[in-house]
PDB file of all heavy atoms in Angstrom:
ATOM      1  N   ALA A   1      18.428  -5.796  16.442  1.00 93.00           N
ATOM      2  CA  ALA A   1      19.850  -5.674  16.154  1.00 93.00           C
ATOM      3  C   ALA A   1      20.335  -6.916  15.483  1.00 93.00           C
ATOM      4  O   ALA A   1      21.493  -7.008  15.014  1.00 93.00           O
ATOM      5  CB  ALA A   1      20.678  -5.493  17.463  1.00 93.00           C
ATOM      6  N   THR A   2      19.548  -8.011  15.547  1.00 93.00           N
ATOM      7  CA  THR A   2      19.897  -9.310  14.846  1.00 93.00           C
ATOM      8  C   THR A   2      19.741  -9.167  13.315  1.00 93.00           C
ATOM      9  O   THR A   2      20.045 -10.033  12.570  1.00 93.00           O
ATOM     10  CB  THR A   2      19.150 -10.410  15.322  1.00 93.00           C
ATOM     11  OG1 THR A   2      17.790 -10.164  15.206  1.00 93.00           O
ATOM     12  CG2 THR A   2      19.482 -10.718  16.792  1.00 93.00           C
ATOM     13  N   ALA A   3      19.115  -8.010  12.897  1.00 95.00           N
ATOM     14  CA  ALA A   3      19.000  -7.693  11.438  1.00 95.00           C
ATOM     15  C   ALA A   3      18.173  -8.560  10.580  1.00 95.00           C
ATOM     16  O   ALA A   3      18.383  -8.697   9.392  1.00 95.00           O
ATOM     17  CB  ALA A   3      20.473  -7.602  10.823  1.00 95.00           C
ATOM     18  N   HIS A   4      17.143  -9.063  11.147  1.00 97.00           N
ATOM     19  CA  HIS A   4      16.115  -9.687  10.356  1.00 97.00           C
ATOM     20  C   HIS A   4      15.275  -8.769   9.675  1.00 97.00           C
ATOM     21  O   HIS A   4      15.075  -7.598   9.956  1.00 97.00           O
ATOM     22  CB  HIS A   4      15.190 -10.698  11.279  1.00 97.00           C
ATOM     23  CG  HIS A   4      14.485  -9.916  12.374  1.00 97.00           C
ATOM     24  ND1 HIS A   4      13.388  -9.221  12.058  1.00 97.00           N
ATOM     25  CD2 HIS A   4      14.675  -9.785  13.666  1.00 97.00           C
ATOM     26  CE1 HIS A   4      12.935  -8.682  13.184  1.00 97.00           C
ATOM     27  NE2 HIS A   4      13.699  -8.964  14.139  1.00 97.00           N
ATOM     28  N   GLY A   5      14.668  -9.361   8.610  1.00 98.00           N
ATOM     29  CA  GLY A   5      13.630  -8.492   7.945  1.00 98.00           C
ATOM     30  C   GLY A   5      12.271  -8.465   8.688  1.00 98.00           C
ATOM     31  O   GLY A   5      11.991  -9.202   9.452  1.00 98.00           O
ATOM     32  N   PHE A   6      11.575  -7.312   8.378  1.00 98.00           N
ATOM     33  CA  PHE A   6      10.345  -7.157   9.016  1.00 98.00           C
ATOM     34  C   PHE A   6       9.299  -6.354   8.122  1.00 98.00           C
ATOM     35  O   PHE A   6       9.790  -5.686   7.140  1.00 98.00           O
ATOM     36  CB  PHE A   6      10.461  -6.382  10.441  1.00 98.00           C
ATOM     37  CG  PHE A   6      10.969  -4.997  10.260  1.00 98.00           C
ATOM     38  CD1 PHE A   6       9.977  -3.918  10.173  1.00 98.00           C
ATOM     39  CD2 PHE A   6      12.295  -4.708  10.335  1.00 98.00           C
ATOM     40  CE1 PHE A   6      10.481  -2.626  10.141  1.00 98.00           C
ATOM     41  CE2 PHE A   6      12.717  -3.439  10.216  1.00 98.00           C
ATOM     42  CZ  PHE A   6      11.833  -2.350  10.141  1.00 98.00           C
ATOM     43  N   ARG A   7       8.053  -6.613   8.415  1.00 98.00           N
ATOM     44  CA  ARG A   7       7.035  -5.702   7.757  1.00 98.00           C
ATOM     45  C   ARG A   7       6.837  -4.474   8.473  1.00 98.00           C
ATOM     46  O   ARG A   7       6.605  -4.423   9.646  1.00 98.00           O
ATOM     47  CB  ARG A   7       5.722  -6.464   7.689  1.00 98.00           C
ATOM     48  CG  ARG A   7       5.562  -7.630   6.570  1.00 98.00           C
ATOM     49  CD  ARG A   7       4.245  -8.299   6.669  1.00 98.00           C
ATOM     50  NE  ARG A   7       3.206  -7.360   6.415  1.00 98.00           N
ATOM     51  CZ  ARG A   7       1.857  -7.605   6.604  1.00 98.00           C
ATOM     52  NH1 ARG A   7       1.563  -8.884   7.036  1.00 98.00           N
ATOM     53  NH2 ARG A   7       0.934  -6.780   6.450  1.00 98.00           N
ATOM     54  N   ASP A   8       6.776  -3.347   7.713  1.00 98.00           N
ATOM     55  CA  ASP A   8       6.333  -2.063   8.216  1.00 98.00           C
ATOM     56  C   ASP A   8       4.858  -1.855   7.887  1.00 98.00           C
ATOM     57  O   ASP A   8       4.507  -1.305   6.818  1.00 98.00           O
ATOM     58  CB  ASP A   8       7.169  -0.961   7.651  1.00 98.00           C
ATOM     59  CG  ASP A   8       7.006   0.399   8.316  1.00 98.00           C
ATOM     60  OD1 ASP A   8       5.835   0.672   8.810  1.00 98.00           O
ATOM     61  OD2 ASP A   8       7.998   1.158   8.468  1.00 98.00           O
ATOM     62  N   VAL A   9       3.973  -2.259   8.846  1.00 98.00           N
ATOM     63  CA  VAL A   9       2.521  -2.242   8.578  1.00 98.00           C
ATOM     64  C   VAL A   9       2.050  -0.710   8.535  1.00 98.00           C
ATOM     65  O   VAL A   9       1.056  -0.506   7.790  1.00 98.00           O
ATOM     66  CB  VAL A   9       1.710  -2.969   9.498  1.00 98.00           C
ATOM     67  CG1 VAL A   9       2.081  -4.436   9.411  1.00 98.00           C
ATOM     68  CG2 VAL A   9       2.024  -2.594  11.020  1.00 98.00           C
ATOM     69  N   GLU A  10       2.645   0.146   9.139  1.00 97.00           N
ATOM     70  CA  GLU A  10       2.307   1.588   9.058  1.00 97.00           C
ATOM     71  C   GLU A  10       2.536   2.153   7.723  1.00 97.00           C
ATOM     72  O   GLU A  10       1.709   2.878   7.150  1.00 97.00           O
ATOM     73  CB  GLU A  10       2.905   2.403  10.225  1.00 97.00           C
ATOM     74  CG  GLU A  10       2.491   2.082  11.527  1.00 97.00           C
ATOM     75  CD  GLU A  10       3.165   2.961  12.592  1.00 97.00           C
ATOM     76  OE1 GLU A  10       3.225   4.111  12.455  1.00 97.00           O
ATOM     77  OE2 GLU A  10       3.512   2.369  13.645  1.00 97.00           O
ATOM     78  N   LEU A  11       3.754   1.870   7.254  1.00 98.00           N
ATOM     79  CA  LEU A  11       4.076   2.415   5.935  1.00 98.00           C
ATOM     80  C   LEU A  11       3.298   1.656   4.811  1.00 98.00           C
ATOM     81  O   LEU A  11       2.913   2.275   3.824  1.00 98.00           O
ATOM     82  CB  LEU A  11       5.528   2.187   5.639  1.00 98.00           C
ATOM     83  CG  LEU A  11       6.082   2.782   4.287  1.00 98.00           C
ATOM     84  CD1 LEU A  11       5.754   4.220   4.251  1.00 98.00           C
ATOM     85  CD2 LEU A  11       7.564   2.470   4.261  1.00 98.00           C
ATOM     86  N   GLU A  12       2.780   0.391   5.115  1.00 98.00           N
ATOM     87  CA  GLU A  12       1.862  -0.233   4.121  1.00 98.00           C
ATOM     88  C   GLU A  12       0.643   0.533   3.990  1.00 98.00           C
ATOM     89  O   GLU A  12       0.147   0.763   2.908  1.00 98.00           O
ATOM     90  CB  GLU A  12       1.606  -1.638   4.612  1.00 98.00           C
ATOM     91  CG  GLU A  12       2.790  -2.597   4.492  1.00 98.00           C
ATOM     92  CD  GLU A  12       2.548  -4.000   5.085  1.00 98.00           C
ATOM     93  OE1 GLU A  12       1.423  -4.168   5.636  1.00 98.00           O
ATOM     94  OE2 GLU A  12       3.461  -4.816   5.064  1.00 98.00           O
ATOM     95  N   GLU A  13       0.019   1.069   5.099  1.00 97.00           N
ATOM     96  CA  GLU A  13      -1.247   1.731   5.072  1.00 97.00           C
ATOM     97  C   GLU A  13      -0.919   3.040   4.451  1.00 97.00           C
ATOM     98  O   GLU A  13      -1.847   3.597   3.588  1.00 97.00           O
ATOM     99  CB  GLU A  13      -1.739   1.906   6.497  1.00 97.00           C
ATOM    100  CG  GLU A  13      -2.412   0.628   7.125  1.00 97.00           C
ATOM    101  CD  GLU A  13      -3.405   0.062   6.307  1.00 97.00           C
ATOM    102  OE1 GLU A  13      -4.324   0.771   5.847  1.00 97.00           O
ATOM    103  OE2 GLU A  13      -3.459  -1.211   6.009  1.00 97.00           O
ATOM    104  N   GLN A  14       0.094   3.705   4.681  1.00 97.00           N
ATOM    105  CA  GLN A  14       0.299   5.057   4.120  1.00 97.00           C
ATOM    106  C   GLN A  14       0.504   4.937   2.567  1.00 97.00           C
ATOM    107  O   GLN A  14       0.052   5.751   1.873  1.00 97.00           O
ATOM    108  CB  GLN A  14       1.482   5.716   4.789  1.00 97.00           C
ATOM    109  CG  GLN A  14       1.252   6.070   6.210  1.00 97.00           C
ATOM    110  CD  GLN A  14       2.423   6.230   7.036  1.00 97.00           C
ATOM    111  OE1 GLN A  14       3.493   5.802   6.687  1.00 97.00           O
ATOM    112  NE2 GLN A  14       2.266   6.882   8.120  1.00 97.00           N
ATOM    113  N   VAL A  15       1.230   3.855   2.172  1.00 98.00           N
ATOM    114  CA  VAL A  15       1.482   3.708   0.731  1.00 98.00           C
ATOM    115  C   VAL A  15       0.108   3.373   0.012  1.00 98.00           C
ATOM    116  O   VAL A  15      -0.176   3.746  -1.112  1.00 98.00           O
ATOM    117  CB  VAL A  15       2.595   2.719   0.451  1.00 98.00           C
ATOM    118  CG1 VAL A  15       2.619   2.378  -1.089  1.00 98.00           C
ATOM    119  CG2 VAL A  15       3.909   3.150   0.863  1.00 98.00           C
ATOM    120  N   LEU A  16      -0.682   2.510   0.621  1.00 97.00           N
ATOM    121  CA  LEU A  16      -1.992   2.200   0.068  1.00 97.00           C
ATOM    122  C   LEU A  16      -2.794   3.392  -0.126  1.00 97.00           C
ATOM    123  O   LEU A  16      -3.469   3.616  -1.104  1.00 97.00           O
ATOM    124  CB  LEU A  16      -2.588   1.225   1.059  1.00 97.00           C
ATOM    125  CG  LEU A  16      -4.066   0.663   0.522  1.00 97.00           C
ATOM    126  CD1 LEU A  16      -4.027   0.114  -0.746  1.00 97.00           C
ATOM    127  CD2 LEU A  16      -4.758  -0.137   1.619  1.00 97.00           C
ATOM    128  N   GLU A  17      -2.809   4.356   0.930  1.00 97.00           N
ATOM    129  CA  GLU A  17      -3.458   5.614   0.796  1.00 97.00           C
ATOM    130  C   GLU A  17      -3.025   6.386  -0.427  1.00 97.00           C
ATOM    131  O   GLU A  17      -3.715   7.045  -1.116  1.00 97.00           O
ATOM    132  CB  GLU A  17      -3.458   6.489   1.988  1.00 97.00           C
ATOM    133  CG  GLU A  17      -4.075   7.798   1.988  1.00 97.00           C
ATOM    134  CD  GLU A  17      -5.567   7.575   1.690  1.00 97.00           C
ATOM    135  OE1 GLU A  17      -6.171   6.618   1.981  1.00 97.00           O
ATOM    136  OE2 GLU A  17      -6.065   8.648   1.150  1.00 97.00           O
ATOM    137  N   LEU A  18      -1.733   6.318  -0.592  1.00 96.00           N
ATOM    138  CA  LEU A  18      -1.065   7.086  -1.741  1.00 96.00           C
ATOM    139  C   LEU A  18      -1.585   6.486  -3.114  1.00 96.00           C
ATOM    140  O   LEU A  18      -1.923   7.270  -4.055  1.00 96.00           O
ATOM    141  CB  LEU A  18       0.492   6.905  -1.771  1.00 96.00           C
ATOM    142  CG  LEU A  18       1.310   7.411  -2.950  1.00 96.00           C
ATOM    143  CD1 LEU A  18       1.253   8.909  -2.893  1.00 96.00           C
ATOM    144  CD2 LEU A  18       2.803   7.042  -2.734  1.00 96.00           C
ATOM    145  N   THR A  19      -1.781   5.172  -3.190  1.00 96.00           N
ATOM    146  CA  THR A  19      -2.173   4.592  -4.448  1.00 96.00           C
ATOM    147  C   THR A  19      -3.617   4.992  -4.642  1.00 96.00           C
ATOM    148  O   THR A  19      -4.058   5.170  -5.838  1.00 96.00           O
ATOM    149  CB  THR A  19      -2.032   3.157  -4.447  1.00 96.00           C
ATOM    150  OG1 THR A  19      -2.952   2.495  -3.427  1.00 96.00           O
ATOM    151  CG2 THR A  19      -0.679   2.638  -4.053  1.00 96.00           C
ATOM    152  N   ARG A  20      -4.403   5.148  -3.596  1.00 95.00           N
ATOM    153  CA  ARG A  20      -5.879   5.529  -3.708  1.00 95.00           C
ATOM    154  C   ARG A  20      -6.008   6.903  -4.171  1.00 95.00           C
ATOM    155  O   ARG A  20      -7.028   7.227  -4.878  1.00 95.00           O
ATOM    156  CB  ARG A  20      -6.567   5.242  -2.366  1.00 95.00           C
ATOM    157  CG  ARG A  20      -6.755   3.722  -2.092  1.00 95.00           C
ATOM    158  CD  ARG A  20      -7.349   3.479  -0.832  1.00 95.00           C
ATOM    159  NE  ARG A  20      -7.590   1.976  -0.543  1.00 95.00           N
ATOM    160  CZ  ARG A  20      -8.085   1.499   0.534  1.00 95.00           C
ATOM    161  NH1 ARG A  20      -8.210   2.239   1.597  1.00 95.00           N
ATOM    162  NH2 ARG A  20      -8.294   0.252   0.581  1.00 95.00           N
ATOM    163  N   ARG A  21      -5.095   7.662  -3.800  1.00 93.00           N
ATOM    164  CA  ARG A  21      -5.239   9.194  -4.224  1.00 93.00           C
ATOM    165  C   ARG A  21      -4.589   9.379  -5.527  1.00 93.00           C
ATOM    166  O   ARG A  21      -4.829  10.496  -6.128  1.00 93.00           O
ATOM    167  CB  ARG A  21      -4.327  10.077  -3.166  1.00 93.00           C
ATOM    168  CG  ARG A  21      -5.116  10.177  -1.762  1.00 93.00           C
ATOM    169  CD  ARG A  21      -4.321  10.995  -0.927  1.00 93.00           C
ATOM    170  NE  ARG A  21      -4.014  12.329  -1.390  1.00 93.00           N
ATOM    171  CZ  ARG A  21      -3.358  13.209  -0.751  1.00 93.00           C
ATOM    172  NH1 ARG A  21      -2.840  12.851   0.478  1.00 93.00           N
ATOM    173  NH2 ARG A  21      -2.996  14.424  -1.250  1.00 93.00           N
ATOM    174  N   SER A  22      -4.000   8.449  -6.224  1.00 91.00           N
ATOM    175  CA  SER A  22      -3.350   8.621  -7.559  1.00 91.00           C
ATOM    176  C   SER A  22      -4.333   8.894  -8.552  1.00 91.00           C
ATOM    177  O   SER A  22      -4.137   9.491  -9.620  1.00 91.00           O
ATOM    178  CB  SER A  22      -2.570   7.443  -7.957  1.00 91.00           C
ATOM    179  OG  SER A  22      -3.310   6.320  -8.162  1.00 91.00           O
ATOM    180  N   GLY A  23      -5.596   8.318  -8.425  1.00 90.00           N
ATOM    181  CA  GLY A  23      -6.639   8.503  -9.477  1.00 90.00           C
ATOM    182  C   GLY A  23      -6.588   7.445 -10.493  1.00 90.00           C
ATOM    183  O   GLY A  23      -7.512   7.372 -11.456  1.00 90.00           O
ATOM    184  N   ILE A  24      -5.596   6.480 -10.505  1.00 91.00           N
ATOM    185  CA  ILE A  24      -5.536   5.569 -11.584  1.00 91.00           C
ATOM    186  C   ILE A  24      -6.673   4.557 -11.494  1.00 91.00           C
ATOM    187  O   ILE A  24      -7.281   4.112 -12.478  1.00 91.00           O
ATOM    188  CB  ILE A  24      -4.190   4.826 -11.529  1.00 91.00           C
ATOM    189  CG1 ILE A  24      -2.963   5.802 -11.659  1.00 91.00           C
ATOM    190  CG2 ILE A  24      -4.054   3.742 -12.635  1.00 91.00           C
ATOM    191  CD1 ILE A  24      -1.520   5.312 -11.460  1.00 91.00           C
ATOM    192  N   GLY A  25      -6.865   4.077 -10.229  1.00 92.00           N
ATOM    193  CA  GLY A  25      -7.974   3.183 -10.055  1.00 92.00           C
ATOM    194  C   GLY A  25      -7.735   1.826 -10.699  1.00 92.00           C
ATOM    195  O   GLY A  25      -6.657   1.377 -11.035  1.00 92.00           O
ATOM    196  N   ALA A  26      -8.870   1.097 -10.664  1.00 90.00           N
ATOM    197  CA  ALA A  26      -8.783  -0.326 -11.144  1.00 90.00           C
ATOM    198  C   ALA A  26      -8.802  -0.237 -12.741  1.00 90.00           C
ATOM    199  O   ALA A  26      -9.799  -0.622 -13.391  1.00 90.00           O
ATOM    200  CB  ALA A  26     -10.038  -1.207 -10.752  1.00 90.00           C
ATOM    201  N   GLN A  27      -7.885   0.408 -13.330  1.00 86.00           N
ATOM    202  CA  GLN A  27      -7.557   0.395 -14.713  1.00 86.00           C
ATOM    203  C   GLN A  27      -8.030   1.555 -15.424  1.00 86.00           C
ATOM    204  O   GLN A  27      -7.388   2.031 -16.379  1.00 86.00           O
ATOM    205  CB  GLN A  27      -7.999  -0.877 -15.498  1.00 86.00           C
ATOM    206  CG  GLN A  27      -7.557  -2.177 -14.780  1.00 86.00           C
ATOM    207  CD  GLN A  27      -7.844  -3.413 -15.629  1.00 86.00           C
ATOM    208  OE1 GLN A  27      -7.974  -3.393 -16.865  1.00 86.00           O
ATOM    209  NE2 GLN A  27      -7.930  -4.629 -14.880  1.00 86.00           N
ATOM    210  N   PHE A  28      -9.166   2.184 -15.038  1.00 83.00           N
ATOM    211  CA  PHE A  28      -9.689   3.223 -15.857  1.00 83.00           C
ATOM    212  C   PHE A  28     -10.227   4.431 -14.993  1.00 83.00           C
ATOM    213  O   PHE A  28     -11.221   5.105 -15.275  1.00 83.00           O
ATOM    214  CB  PHE A  28     -10.868   2.768 -16.679  1.00 83.00           C
ATOM    215  CG  PHE A  28     -10.510   1.645 -17.604  1.00 83.00           C
ATOM    216  CD1 PHE A  28     -10.907   0.335 -17.456  1.00 83.00           C
ATOM    217  CD2 PHE A  28      -9.643   2.029 -18.718  1.00 83.00           C
ATOM    218  CE1 PHE A  28     -10.416  -0.641 -18.241  1.00 83.00           C
ATOM    219  CE2 PHE A  28      -9.222   0.917 -19.621  1.00 83.00           C
ATOM    220  CZ  PHE A  28      -9.663  -0.348 -19.392  1.00 83.00           C
ATOM    221  N   GLY A  29      -9.586   4.647 -13.869  1.00 86.00           N
ATOM    222  CA  GLY A  29      -9.788   5.800 -13.052  1.00 86.00           C
ATOM    223  C   GLY A  29     -10.619   5.400 -11.866  1.00 86.00           C
ATOM    224  O   GLY A  29     -11.562   4.715 -11.822  1.00 86.00           O
ATOM    225  N   GLY A  30     -10.170   5.992 -10.703  1.00 92.00           N
ATOM    226  CA  GLY A  30     -10.790   5.638  -9.465  1.00 92.00           C
ATOM    227  C   GLY A  30      -9.849   5.478  -8.208  1.00 92.00           C
ATOM    228  O   GLY A  30      -8.818   5.933  -8.182  1.00 92.00           O
ATOM    229  N   LYS A  31     -10.294   4.673  -7.378  1.00 95.00           N
ATOM    230  CA  LYS A  31      -9.625   4.517  -5.981  1.00 95.00           C
ATOM    231  C   LYS A  31      -8.794   3.317  -5.955  1.00 95.00           C
ATOM    232  O   LYS A  31      -7.704   3.251  -5.209  1.00 95.00           O
ATOM    233  CB  LYS A  31     -10.730   4.448  -4.919  1.00 95.00           C
ATOM    234  CG  LYS A  31     -10.312   4.110  -3.596  1.00 95.00           C
ATOM    235  CD  LYS A  31     -11.474   4.158  -2.550  1.00 95.00           C
ATOM    236  CE  LYS A  31     -10.953   3.779  -1.201  1.00 95.00           C
ATOM    237  NZ  LYS A  31     -12.147   3.678  -0.210  1.00 95.00           N
ATOM    238  N   TYR A  32      -9.201   2.163  -6.656  1.00 96.00           N
ATOM    239  CA  TYR A  32      -8.557   0.822  -6.394  1.00 96.00           C
ATOM    240  C   TYR A  32      -7.585   0.468  -7.351  1.00 96.00           C
ATOM    241  O   TYR A  32      -7.655  -0.527  -8.017  1.00 96.00           O
ATOM    242  CB  TYR A  32      -9.697  -0.198  -6.346  1.00 96.00           C
ATOM    243  CG  TYR A  32     -10.432  -0.138  -4.916  1.00 96.00           C
ATOM    244  CD1 TYR A  32     -11.674   0.553  -4.873  1.00 96.00           C
ATOM    245  CD2 TYR A  32      -9.999  -0.824  -3.863  1.00 96.00           C
ATOM    246  CE1 TYR A  32     -12.292   0.628  -3.662  1.00 96.00           C
ATOM    247  CE2 TYR A  32     -10.689  -0.693  -2.722  1.00 96.00           C
ATOM    248  CZ  TYR A  32     -11.759  -0.029  -2.595  1.00 96.00           C
ATOM    249  OH  TYR A  32     -12.544   0.051  -1.449  1.00 96.00           O
ATOM    250  N   PHE A  33      -6.386   1.194  -7.326  1.00 96.00           N
ATOM    251  CA  PHE A  33      -5.249   0.823  -8.094  1.00 96.00           C
ATOM    252  C   PHE A  33      -4.526  -0.479  -7.403  1.00 96.00           C
ATOM    253  O   PHE A  33      -3.991  -1.265  -8.082  1.00 96.00           O
ATOM    254  CB  PHE A  33      -4.231   1.991  -8.122  1.00 96.00           C
ATOM    255  CG  PHE A  33      -2.965   1.662  -8.988  1.00 96.00           C
ATOM    256  CD1 PHE A  33      -3.137   1.248 -10.273  1.00 96.00           C
ATOM    257  CD2 PHE A  33      -1.725   2.021  -8.571  1.00 96.00           C
ATOM    258  CE1 PHE A  33      -1.967   1.017 -11.152  1.00 96.00           C
ATOM    259  CE2 PHE A  33      -0.729   1.846  -9.245  1.00 96.00           C
ATOM    260  CZ  PHE A  33      -0.823   1.406 -10.548  1.00 96.00           C
ATOM    261  N   CYS A  34      -4.709  -0.531  -6.056  1.00 97.00           N
ATOM    262  CA  CYS A  34      -4.194  -1.608  -5.366  1.00 97.00           C
ATOM    263  C   CYS A  34      -5.212  -2.176  -4.439  1.00 97.00           C
ATOM    264  O   CYS A  34      -5.885  -1.346  -3.775  1.00 97.00           O
ATOM    265  CB  CYS A  34      -2.897  -1.188  -4.529  1.00 97.00           C
ATOM    266  SG  CYS A  34      -1.551  -0.751  -5.615  1.00 97.00           S
ATOM    267  N   HIS A  35      -5.239  -3.517  -4.208  1.00 97.00           N
ATOM    268  CA  HIS A  35      -5.993  -4.102  -3.203  1.00 97.00           C
ATOM    269  C   HIS A  35      -5.244  -3.770  -1.771  1.00 97.00           C
ATOM    270  O   HIS A  35      -5.980  -3.405  -0.740  1.00 97.00           O
ATOM    271  CB  HIS A  35      -6.100  -5.526  -3.277  1.00 97.00           C
ATOM    272  CG  HIS A  35      -7.115  -5.950  -4.293  1.00 97.00           C
ATOM    273  ND1 HIS A  35      -8.377  -5.624  -4.334  1.00 97.00           N
ATOM    274  CD2 HIS A  35      -6.846  -6.787  -5.442  1.00 97.00           C
ATOM    275  CE1 HIS A  35      -9.028  -6.241  -5.372  1.00 97.00           C
ATOM    276  NE2 HIS A  35      -8.146  -6.876  -5.982  1.00 97.00           N
ATOM    277  N   ASP A  36      -3.991  -4.020  -1.687  1.00 98.00           N
ATOM    278  CA  ASP A  36      -3.205  -3.875  -0.558  1.00 98.00           C
ATOM    279  C   ASP A  36      -1.741  -3.759  -0.884  1.00 98.00           C
ATOM    280  O   ASP A  36      -1.359  -3.801  -2.040  1.00 98.00           O
ATOM    281  CB  ASP A  36      -3.455  -5.226   0.329  1.00 98.00           C
ATOM    282  CG  ASP A  36      -3.323  -6.453  -0.375  1.00 98.00           C
ATOM    283  OD1 ASP A  36      -2.369  -6.509  -1.187  1.00 98.00           O
ATOM    284  OD2 ASP A  36      -3.974  -7.356  -0.192  1.00 98.00           O
ATOM    285  N   VAL A  37      -1.000  -3.452   0.146  1.00 98.00           N
ATOM    286  CA  VAL A  37       0.437  -3.232   0.079  1.00 98.00           C
ATOM    287  C   VAL A  37       1.201  -3.940   1.112  1.00 98.00           C
ATOM    288  O   VAL A  37       0.712  -4.115   2.185  1.00 98.00           O
ATOM    289  CB  VAL A  37       0.706  -1.671   0.099  1.00 98.00           C
ATOM    290  CG1 VAL A  37       2.240  -1.429   0.003  1.00 98.00           C
ATOM    291  CG2 VAL A  37       0.057  -0.892  -0.943  1.00 98.00           C
ATOM    292  N   ARG A  38       2.361  -4.524   0.688  1.00 98.00           N
ATOM    293  CA  ARG A  38       3.277  -5.159   1.605  1.00 98.00           C
ATOM    294  C   ARG A  38       4.592  -4.340   1.604  1.00 98.00           C
ATOM    295  O   ARG A  38       5.130  -4.154   0.405  1.00 98.00           O
ATOM    296  CB  ARG A  38       3.470  -6.567   1.362  1.00 98.00           C
ATOM    297  CG  ARG A  38       2.314  -7.397   1.594  1.00 98.00           C
ATOM    298  CD  ARG A  38       1.778  -7.511   2.987  1.00 98.00           C
ATOM    299  NE  ARG A  38       0.672  -8.385   3.232  1.00 98.00           N
ATOM    300  CZ  ARG A  38      -0.674  -7.875   3.199  1.00 98.00           C
ATOM    301  NH1 ARG A  38      -0.841  -6.655   2.975  1.00 98.00           N
ATOM    302  NH2 ARG A  38      -1.668  -8.750   3.431  1.00 98.00           N
ATOM    303  N   VAL A  39       5.115  -3.926   2.680  1.00 98.00           N
ATOM    304  CA  VAL A  39       6.404  -3.374   2.615  1.00 98.00           C
ATOM    305  C   VAL A  39       7.310  -4.091   3.673  1.00 98.00           C
ATOM    306  O   VAL A  39       7.041  -4.259   4.860  1.00 98.00           O
ATOM    307  CB  VAL A  39       6.357  -1.810   3.183  1.00 98.00           C
ATOM    308  CG1 VAL A  39       7.759  -1.231   3.285  1.00 98.00           C
ATOM    309  CG2 VAL A  39       5.399  -0.981   2.319  1.00 98.00           C
ATOM    310  N   VAL A  40       8.408  -4.602   3.168  1.00 98.00           N
ATOM    311  CA  VAL A  40       9.449  -5.235   3.944  1.00 98.00           C
ATOM    312  C   VAL A  40      10.719  -4.486   3.959  1.00 98.00           C
ATOM    313  O   VAL A  40      11.260  -4.110   2.889  1.00 98.00           O
ATOM    314  CB  VAL A  40       9.646  -6.699   3.290  1.00 98.00           C
ATOM    315  CG1 VAL A  40      10.714  -7.410   4.034  1.00 98.00           C
ATOM    316  CG2 VAL A  40       8.274  -7.502   3.190  1.00 98.00           C
TER     317      VAL A  40
END
């Protein structure tokens, strides 16, 4: 209730999985569009 910012680590993992399913990959197709995700 003090309204500070926080990391949502669960959403970070879910968004990381989303990037892996995109197919973009490390520039030319694949899994690794992102190393990791931070959600604040």
Side-chain angles (χ1 to χ4, degrees):
T2 56
H4 61 76
F6 66 91
R7 282 180 59 191
D8 189 327
V9 293
E10 293 183 40
L11 186 53
E12 289 175 359
E13 288 300 315
Q14 291 159 345
V15 174
L16 181 60
E17 178 60 24
L18 174 67
T19 69
R20 289 175 172 173
R21 291 179 54 180
S22 71
I24 300 173
Q27 305 188 29
F28 302 105
K31 174 180 176 182
Y32 283 94
F33 186 49
C34 294
H35 284 304
D36 50 40
V37 176
R38 295 293 182 267
V39 177
V40 177

